[in-house]
Amino acid sequence: MRPAYGLKSIAGRLALAIAAAGTLAACQPFNAPMDTLSTNSDLGKWIYSLFLQITIWDSIVMVIVIVALLLAIFVFSTREGEPGEPSEHESDLMLELAWTVGPALILMFITIPTIHTIIKTQPSKWPADTLTVQVRAHQWWWEFDYPGFKIQTADELHLPEYQVVHLELLSEDIIHSFWVPALGGKRDVIPGQINQITLIPNTTGEFYGQCAEFCGLSHANMRFRVVVDTPDGFKRWVAAQQAPPAEPTSPAAIAGEKIFKDAPCAICHQIRGISGFSLQYKYGFRGPDLTHFASRGTLAGSIFPNTPENVALWIQDPDKVKPGAEMPTLGLRGTDLQDLVAYLESLK
Ligand code: CUA
């Protein structure tokens, strides 16, 4: 017996597939830190709105094509036993016009908002109170420099809500890509060139960022976090970051400070007032500024929570936890290691 591939069963399957896709899509907003369909900044909103417009046109095209296909298969096809000669019309002016003008119009409806969004999201002027942050990509971590406040952080970008933020993107070595899906936009970070992103965050919270251009062994470990705070919360954060590093008080931390100064740590890492003579690259520091290391939630390209256990693991064998990491293995063990960790974790 021939299986029945009727219009009904095909339509049924199609409905099922659409329902399944819809269900999966609906799962997205929950617990999806890399969700690009978000509107936590003006930039994100514009891109989302463009995405919706294009999706509507795409859907209209899809429906027309599917309906035409189903009609051709099930309604206008020749049945067994029917005299099945196709129509011999040479041309049909209206049809020709429809399928020439229709797609041209749809392309125009997609192109115009796209170009408009590109121009709108890449302004060349900023208001006077714009917050400028230099973002420097390194293999494999992110340095955030606030020239206006004279502070540097690593792998953790703090921004105030409702303020124009201008990010200047520089690369210290090779091509990376700055991407915070929840804030919208993605831009390559290229050596010898300053690319820019301008946005106004409008939601407080923590958002994950990720290097989006393959840049070597630990590309996938080149993550970072963006903390969008209230204007007052941001001011408090800036003040805390501008403060000198905490004086170690516990015996372990005091011993750890000495280890930090004597070990090669101080060559690459700045702790203001302790090791200000860091070997500097062309733009930024060779290793993250550690002045307020313990105030940061993560370490090593935001791949671990900042806990004493993880800091110890990291110092013991950086290459093991982050392949290719430039941080050398210092051979610190036992009490020395614990003391150094105690010192670093005291730098609130
Ligand atoms: Cu940097 Cu991928």
Side-chain angles (χ1 to χ4, degrees):
M1 215 171 84
R2 268 172 53 186
Y5 289 121
L7 183 58
K8 245 184 175 173
S9 76
I10 296 245
R13 282 163 199 227
L14 205 66
L16 197 69
I18 291 172
T23 310
L24 287 174
C27 293
Q28 267 301 92
F30 304 103
N31 194 21
M34 305 305 268
D35 176 14
T36 53
L37 303 180
S38 53
T39 53
N40 299 304
S41 75
D42 58 339
L43 175 64
K45 258 187 195 162
W46 293 332
I47 295 173
Y48 182 63
S49 132
L50 179 66
F51 167 78
L52 280 187
Q53 289 176 56
I54 294 178
T55 304
I56 288 169
W57 289 115
D58 289 349
S59 307
I60 292 172
V61 171
M62 186 181 77
V63 168
I64 293 172
V65 169
I66 289 177
V67 168
L69 184 70
L70 292 177
L71 286 176
I73 294 173
F74 297 105
V75 180
F76 298 114
S77 59
T78 311
R79 298 290 182 285
E80 226 172 301
E82 278 180 1
E85 283 304 307
S87 136
E88 285 178 7
H89 281 295
E90 267 179 22
S91 68
D92 184 321
L93 184 65
M94 289 323 283
L95 260 183
E96 300 273 356
L97 271 177
W99 64 52
T100 307
V101 175
L105 280 178
I106 290 177
L107 279 181
M108 207 172 73
F109 294 143
I110 289 176
T111 308
I112 291 173
T114 302
I115 292 176
H116 184 226
T117 306
I118 290 173
I119 294 171
K120 198 159 64 168
T121 55
Q122 306 209 37
S124 52
K125 287 194 195 97
W126 308 278
D129 66 340
T130 298
L131 169 68
T132 297
V133 184
Q134 280 201 346
V135 177
R136 302 187 196 112
H138 301 250
Q139 278 176 313
W140 289 275
W141 59 284
W142 298 89
E143 181 178 0
F144 301 110
D145 190 322
Y146 298 71
F149 301 125
K150 303 214 174 344
I151 52 178
Q152 292 95 25
T153 67
D155 300 331
E156 200 171 292
L157 172 64
H158 283 247
L159 300 175
E161 200 184 14
Y162 302 125
Q163 182 172 349
V164 184
V165 176
H166 178 61
L167 304 173
E168 293 182 354
L169 311 170
L170 299 100
S171 171
E172 202 68 74
D173 33 53
I174 60 171
I175 300 177
H176 303 268
S177 180
F178 180 90
W179 185 42
V180 189
L183 292 180
K186 179 196 280 174
R187 202 136 298 159
D188 277 5
V189 188
I190 300 169
Q193 180 176 326
I194 300 179
N195 281 354
Q196 338 211 344
I197 289 185
T198 306
L199 55 83
I200 304 173
N202 59 28
T203 315
T204 56
E206 288 184 20
F207 309 108
Y208 264 103
Q210 164 75 52
C211 178
E213 178 81 39
F214 182 69
C215 56
L217 217 50
S218 268
H219 155 69
N221 295 327
M222 193 169 165
R223 300 167 65 186
F224 59 104
R225 292 186 316 140
V226 181
V227 179
V228 178
D229 214 338
T230 58
D232 281 346
F234 178 74
K235 267 186 206 151
R236 280 196 297 276
W237 176 80
V238 169
Q241 296 292 312
Q242 284 174 328
E247 286 282 335
T249 48
S250 73
I254 292 169
E257 188 190 52
K258 190 172 176 333
I259 293 168
F260 179 86
K261 284 180 183 165
D262 295 345
C265 317
I267 298 174
C268 300
H269 293 283
Q270 165 170 259
I271 294 181
R272 268 179 270 132
I274 303 288
S275 61
F277 45 86
S278 302
L279 230 184
Q280 253 189 301
Y281 267 9
K282 190 170 170 198
Y283 304 111
F285 291 100
R286 188 155 184 180
D289 179 296
L290 302 178
T291 307
H292 293 288
F293 172 72
S295 74
R296 303 204 280 261
T298 58
L299 75 141
S302 276
I303 51 178
F304 307 114
N306 187 352
T307 63
E309 296 74 35
N310 286 336
V311 177
L313 273 177
W314 168 245
I315 296 172
Q316 244 176 335
D317 196 347
D319 196 65
K320 189 173 167 195
V321 289
K322 192 173 166 190
E326 277 203 36
M327 166 119 159
T329 305
L330 301 172
L332 286 173
R333 292 279 179 273
T335 326
D336 284 355
L337 180 65
Q338 297 312 323
D339 290 349
L340 181 58
V341 171
Y343 172 57
L344 292 173
E345 293 294 42
S346 76
L347 297 171
K348 294 279 182 202

